[in-house]
């Protein structure tokens, strides 16, 4: 049987989360291409592990209307393909519950509505009628509100990753559940790159794509293509609050959409909200997270790993989010409250990085808190850019180029 050292892949993808798995799926559809996807599975329990993903959850908001053109395009293209992927794999991951946006900033509201109009996305202004649609909600009287009724709601990121990986594997993709330690030029003529895992496996390839999220800048993956530099990614904590509710409450809220509420509450500058979702423990939860308030910067691998392992988030933030949810859903009967933490990676211009940084070396990084709903299209664009040199998108390619910064000396 051939060892991993004997096989040369057309593309090795580093990072098996939402973006990397999507890239593997689309790369595997290109005729004649051999693909290898490398990344660890979700660790259960988390203690004793170092690398984690933002896809360890059952709910992420998906919406098409956004003030930012890039993210609107990426999300729209992704969402338009979700049903086909579900049908192809038999894996359900998309719930079309609708999406509501709430803000007191009239300019922000107008920009979003104009974006909707230009792109034909049909967001409805329900500023004066939202109580008719959602009588159980409480929103500020002076807020502006729009509804995306169709092609919006939430995805299950665990199931989305499973669907992309299943299809990629059916197309011949090899999936290696290990952690990559470094990437360096291959010493074998014509192979170009050698990807080495922490278990000392060495995998040869012609092209490599790094889609490892915030962890990409915490491992020495770029030292041979950009000595002394790393992609400029600011890592920020996110705390989420889970409010367990009964079957009865779940039924009462059965028409609840996903919500982004930009209105301040106590220490919060806003929140995002998921409707009741059934989690693997058999219970129903309403989940919400925060905006920039309560974010803290993370700079080292040990800091990030400790944050994920503790699996609580910031308790004071969990409490504040819980009070916000009880304000938005008056009379909500909560059985239990818990918290968790994850990480978002931010670029200086809030654009993703989808770029070739050296011959045969690509990146798909910088989710900026928006990437889950857009991951399918990010992966597709990155795979085709690295393998075919192709860029077919309404997004100008120069807009998603990597911005570098000096590697921090710790």
């Amino acid at each position: 049987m051939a060892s991993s050292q004997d096989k040369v892949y057309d593309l090795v993808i580093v990072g098996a989360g939402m973006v990397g798995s999507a890239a593997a799926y689309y790369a595997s559809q290109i005729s004649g291409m051999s693909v290898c996807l490398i990344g660890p599975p979700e660790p259960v329990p988390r203690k004793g592990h170092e690398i984690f993903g933002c896809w360890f959850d059952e709910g992420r908001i998906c919406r098409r209307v956004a003030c930012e053109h890039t993210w609107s395009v990426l999300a729209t293209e992704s969402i338009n393909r979700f049903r086909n992927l579900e049908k192809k794999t038999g894996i359900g991951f998309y719930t079309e519950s609708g999406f509501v946006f709430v803000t007191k900033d009239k300019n922000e509201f107008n920009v979003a509505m104009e974006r909707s109009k230009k792109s034909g996305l049909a967001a409805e202004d329900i500023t004066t009628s939202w109580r008719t649609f959602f009588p159980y909600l409480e929103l500020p009287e002076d807020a502006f509100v729009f509804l995306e009724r169709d092609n919006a709601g939430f995805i299950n990121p665990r199931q989305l990753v499973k669907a992309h990986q299943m299809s990629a594997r059916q197309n011949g993709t090899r999936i290696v559940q290990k952690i990559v330690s470094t990437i360096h030029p291959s010493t074998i003529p014509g192979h170009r790159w050698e990807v080495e895992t922490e278990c000392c496996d060495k995998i040869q390839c012609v092209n490599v794509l790094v889609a490892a999220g915030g962890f990409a800048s915490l491992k020495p993956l770029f030292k041979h293509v950009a000595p002394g530099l790393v992609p400029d990614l600011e890592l920020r904590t996110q705390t989420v609050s889970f409010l367990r509710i009964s079957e009865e409450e779940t039924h009462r809220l059965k028409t609840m959409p996903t919500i982004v509420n930009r209105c301040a509450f106590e220490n919060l500058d806003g929140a995002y909200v998921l409707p009741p979702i059934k989690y693997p423990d058999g219970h129903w939860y309403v989940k919400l997270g925060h905006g920039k308030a309560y974010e803290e910067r993370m700079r080292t691998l040990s800091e990030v790993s400790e944050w994920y392992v503790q699996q609580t988030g910031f308790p004071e933030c969990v409490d504040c989010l819980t009070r916000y949810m009880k304000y938005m859903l008056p009379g909500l009967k909560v059985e239990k409250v818990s918290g968790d933490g994850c990480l978002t990676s931010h670029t200086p211009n809030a654009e993703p990085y989808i770029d070739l940084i050296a011959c045969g070396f690509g990146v798909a990084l910088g989710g900026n808190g928006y990437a889950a709903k857009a991951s399918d299209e990010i992966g597709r664009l990155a795979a085709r850019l690295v393998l075919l040199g192709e860029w077919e998108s309404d997004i100008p390619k120069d807009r998603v180029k990597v911005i570098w910064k000096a590697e921090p000396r710790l």
Side-chain angles (χ1 to χ4, degrees):
M1 183 176 177
S3 71
S4 59
Q5 287 90 338
D6 298 326
K7 173 76 176 179
V8 181
Y9 292 92
D10 292 297
L11 178 65
V12 167
I13 299 163
V14 179
M18 286 181 279
V19 171
S21 298
Y25 167 58
Y26 286 107
S28 72
Q29 289 184 320
I30 301 173
S31 179
M33 294 294 178
S34 57
V35 182
C36 180
L37 175 66
I38 310 178
E42 179 177 355
V44 181
R46 293 184 190 176
K47 189 174 181 180
H49 294 269
E50 185 182 63
I51 302 295
F52 303 90
C54 282
W55 53 277
F56 305 163
D57 192 29
E58 300 294 305
R60 288 286 189 275
I61 291 176
C62 55
R63 58 186 174 112
R64 299 176 301 160
V65 177
C67 294
E68 306 84 0
H69 174 258
T70 296
W71 291 108
S72 185
V73 170
L74 293 172
T76 299
E77 294 297 328
S78 296
I79 292 168
N80 286 345
R81 290 192 289 264
F82 284 166
R83 291 302 185 204
N84 284 338
L85 182 59
E86 285 185 320
K87 185 176 180 180
K88 181 176 183 179
T89 62
I91 297 172
F93 58 82
Y94 175 38
T95 300
E96 201 170 350
S97 64
F99 168 78
V100 165
F101 183 79
V102 186
T103 181
K104 290 187 179 182
D105 185 333
K106 187 175 182 179
N107 183 62
E108 181 182 37
F109 180 81
N110 289 340
V111 168
M113 292 298 288
E114 184 62 26
R115 176 78 62 204
S116 169
K117 185 178 177 181
K118 282 185 177 179
S119 304
L121 300 181
E124 301 172 43
D125 183 346
I126 60 169
T127 299
T128 60
S129 60
W130 57 265
R131 285 189 188 276
T132 304
F133 293 96
F134 312 110
Y136 45 79
L137 270 181
E138 184 62 47
L139 301 173
E141 294 294 339
D142 56 345
F144 300 93
V145 187
F146 75 68
L147 167 67
E148 277 189 81
R149 191 187 301 269
D150 302 316
N151 295 309
F154 62 92
I155 54 172
N156 182 322
R158 287 187 176 113
Q159 296 300 103
L160 176 60
V161 166
K162 184 179 177 181
H164 275 137
Q165 289 189 9
M166 175 189 285
S167 286
R169 190 182 278 112
Q170 288 171 346
N171 291 337
T173 295
R174 179 185 174 212
I175 299 178
V176 178
Q177 293 188 323
K178 295 181 180 178
I179 295 170
V180 170
S181 58
T182 190
I183 303 166
H184 47 79
S186 176
T187 57
I188 302 173
H191 289 191
R192 199 179 284 158
W193 299 107
E194 184 176 86
V195 179
E196 187 170 345
T197 74
E198 291 187 346
C199 299
C200 298
D201 289 326
K202 296 179 180 180
I203 301 174
Q204 305 291 329
C205 60
V206 181
N207 302 283
V208 65
L209 172 67
V210 174
F215 288 89
S217 59
L218 300 176
K219 289 281 186 178
L221 303 181
F222 306 99
K223 63 182 182 180
H224 294 289
V225 292
L229 300 175
V230 291
D232 193 342
L233 294 171
E234 184 175 81
L235 308 184
R236 305 179 191 170
T237 62
Q238 265 284 325
T239 294
V240 293
S241 181
F242 292 99
L243 282 62
R244 196 177 86 189
I245 63 173
S246 67
E247 292 270 2
E248 184 182 6
E249 279 289 78
T250 298
H251 182 74
R252 180 173 75 90
L253 302 173
K254 64 182 179 181
T255 63
M256 184 175 167
T258 54
I259 304 167
V260 168
N261 189 338
R262 293 277 173 82
C263 302
F265 177 87
E266 295 182 9
N267 296 330
L268 296 166
D269 54 350
Y272 64 88
V273 183
L274 279 295
I277 297 172
K278 194 171 188 178
Y279 272 71
D281 65 0
H283 292 292
W284 292 85
Y285 294 86
V286 175
K287 187 189 83 170
L288 72 162
H290 56 84
K292 292 184 178 179
Y294 288 105
E295 286 183 338
E296 287 199 3
R297 309 296 184 265
M298 294 276 168
R299 294 177 175 82
T300 67
L301 183 57
S302 60
E303 283 180 338
V304 171
S305 299
E306 184 179 341
W307 171 252
Y308 272 99
V309 167
Q310 73 183 35
Q311 211 162 343
T312 60
F314 294 121
E316 64 272 24
C317 182
V318 172
D319 292 342
C320 193
L321 286 167
T322 301
R323 290 191 295 274
Y324 200 4
M325 193 72 266
K326 288 180 177 179
Y327 158 74
M328 278 190 274
L329 294 175
L332 183 68
K333 297 174 183 176
V334 178
E335 297 180 340
K336 184 180 178 181
V337 175
S338 57
D340 198 359
C342 68
L343 199 73
T344 52
S345 55
H346 297 259
T347 63
N349 57 5
E351 300 280 355
Y353 297 148
I354 310 171
D355 197 10
L356 271 175
I357 60 175
C359 186
F361 197 124
V363 297
L365 302 168
N368 291 277
Y370 302 134
K373 61 184 175 292
S375 56
D376 182 273
E377 177 67 357
I378 294 172
R380 188 191 73 85
L381 287 173
R384 297 187 72 83
L385 175 65
V386 174
L387 288 173
L388 304 176
E390 172 191 293
W391 187 260
E392 293 182 358
S393 175
D394 290 340
I395 302 163
K397 188 175 179 304
D398 286 347
R399 193 186 288 173
V400 293
K401 291 183 67 66
V402 169
I403 300 170
W404 298 94
K405 68 177 180 181
E407 188 174 11
R409 297 185 180 277
L410 303 173

